[in-house]
Amino acid sequence: MKVEREPIIIMNFSGAYEYEPFANNPDFIHLNCAHLNGTDCYCSQEASKEIKNIIAPYSAEGIHFIDNGDYHYITKFWMEKLNQSFSLVLFDHHTDMQPSRIPGLLSCGDWVKDAIDEDPRLRQVIIIGTPQGTEEKIPNIYRRKVYLFSREKIRQMLSAQEQLTMKEPIYISIDKDVLNTAYAETNWDQGTLTLQELQQSLLSIMTHNHVIGIDICGEYKIVQSLFQNQKSACIDNHANWSILQTIVHAAKLKKHNQITHCSIPNWWNNRTFNLHGIY
């Protein structure tokens, strides 16, 4: 299977992708970040500069795998490279809007809040997969920009074939901790979405909005047991491959004009990657 697009980028911090066959595609670009200090959960100012230098040659308009949830703040760096107003669609069990425990340091738990505070181009944040009642924890000053969709709400929308459409182009970020533990192994507590529900939601959103970039995180935690690493990698490899297949399918629907009002952008038409046999 081949699809034309901007590069698929693998950012390796923990080594998790070394056990996942999908990542071994020679057409993918691998960025080694394992040598960086000050990146685990919190990102030091020095590490922030180094990471931004590493991703500087690449466009945000592509697909980026950014390792486990401890590095989800990398999404903010990719979004900073966009040159237009946009909305963020975030699949996540958490809001990532916690008050910073260490002032001045970006973290995996507060990067969404920081992005809203610092980037006037970010118009809306749609968070899909949070537990019911989470909206009550969102500070009032953010409630005009942040909208939460629980699994129950998403299931209702999928059943009724309701579409989530936005005026602005969207950047999509997927943390696999939104999935229940049968479909992904992550290093954080997890939600209740099934992989099929994630794929259906992603396909619907991609085919009814102008998507300008995508990233995926939520890999398993590397442990001392090789058997456990391989077992976890097998589950996450299947999830990552399935998400890639959904993205490819959305692009094909656009290409063959099977969906009306579909606005997947031209970055699908720039490069060709061979995705055959990576799972």
Side-chain angles (χ1 to χ4, degrees):
M1 176 170 54
K2 292 186 178 182
V3 63
E4 297 177 353
R5 62 169 143 229
E6 285 282 342
I8 295 176
I9 293 175
I10 308 289
M11 299 185 70
N12 174 39
F13 287 87
S14 71
Y17 295 119
E18 295 175 12
Y19 296 96
E20 297 187 41
F22 94 94
N24 294 331
N25 192 311
D27 289 327
F28 295 177
I29 293 174
H30 289 255
L31 302 180
N32 181 24
C33 304
H35 62 288
L36 300 178
N37 295 317
T39 62
D40 193 2
C41 289
Y42 291 89
C43 186
S44 70
Q45 293 183 358
E46 182 178 349
S48 174
K49 292 178 182 178
E50 292 187 77
I51 293 169
K52 290 179 180 181
N53 284 336
I54 289 173
I55 68 174
Y58 307 102
S59 169
E61 298 180 345
I63 303 171
H64 320 103
F65 286 87
I66 58 176
D67 215 292
N68 70 47
D70 290 351
Y71 308 99
H72 204 171
Y73 59 80
I74 299 294
T75 299
K76 182 173 182 285
F77 299 155
W78 284 112
M79 293 194 306
E80 287 172 355
K81 294 170 69 67
L82 298 171
N83 57 10
Q84 59 189 302
S85 296
F86 66 98
S87 289
L88 169 65
V89 175
L90 172 63
F91 289 86
D92 204 314
H93 184 53
H94 313 89
T95 63
D96 291 355
M97 292 186 63
Q98 300 297 320
S100 177
R101 294 184 180 182
I102 306 178
L105 286 187
L106 182 67
S107 80
C108 59
D110 64 18
W111 66 270
V112 173
K113 177 181 175 296
D114 280 11
I116 296 171
D117 290 341
E118 298 173 7
D119 194 342
R121 301 168 307 156
L122 178 54
R123 300 301 176 83
Q124 289 186 99
V125 177
I126 310 297
I127 306 179
I128 298 172
T130 53
Q132 284 188 313
T134 304
E135 60 274 2
E136 298 172 5
K137 301 177 183 179
I138 301 296
N140 289 333
I141 59 172
Y142 297 106
R143 291 190 180 182
R144 290 188 176 183
K145 269 198 170 184
V146 179
Y147 302 90
L148 306 186
F149 291 80
S150 66
R151 181 197 180 188
E152 291 73 20
K153 176 61 176 176
I154 286 299
R155 293 185 75 178
Q156 291 172 7
M157 292 179 67
L158 290 172
S159 178
Q161 296 186 332
E162 296 177 17
Q163 307 300 334
L164 183 62
T165 59
M166 279 147 282
K167 294 180 180 179
E168 302 85 9
I170 63 171
Y171 186 95
I172 298 175
S173 182
I174 302 169
D175 189 334
K176 291 194 298 294
D177 74 13
V178 76
L179 297 170
N180 74 47
T181 54
Y183 299 99
E185 289 216 9
T186 77
N187 62 334
W188 290 89
D189 59 302
Q190 293 181 220
T192 58
L193 276 184
T194 67
L195 183 57
Q196 183 180 26
E197 288 169 340
L198 171 58
Q199 289 178 277
Q200 290 174 336
S201 302
L202 181 60
L203 183 65
S204 175
I205 289 168
M206 288 192 67
T207 53
H208 291 85
N209 291 277
H210 182 166
V211 182
I212 52 176
I214 302 172
D215 66 48
I216 300 103
C217 73
E219 303 313 313
Y220 62 98
K221 182 178 179 63
I222 290 284
V223 295
Q224 300 248 338
S225 168
L226 176 61
F227 173 78
Q228 185 58 49
N229 287 337
Q230 291 175 332
K231 179 182 176 183
S232 300
C234 182
I235 296 172
D236 284 353
N237 181 73
H238 175 67
N240 286 327
W241 172 231
S242 298
I243 291 168
L244 267 179
Q245 282 187 310
T246 301
I247 295 169
V248 170
H249 183 46
K252 284 187 172 182
L253 290 177
K254 161 65 162 58
K255 183 176 181 180
H256 296 293
N257 297 316
Q258 295 177 0
I259 291 287
T260 59
H261 308 297
C262 176
S263 186
I264 296 175
N266 290 331
W267 50 267
W268 290 98
N269 299 317
N270 293 335
R271 290 190 62 181
T272 299
F273 292 90
N274 184 2
L275 298 184
H276 178 70
I278 65 173
Y279 176 75

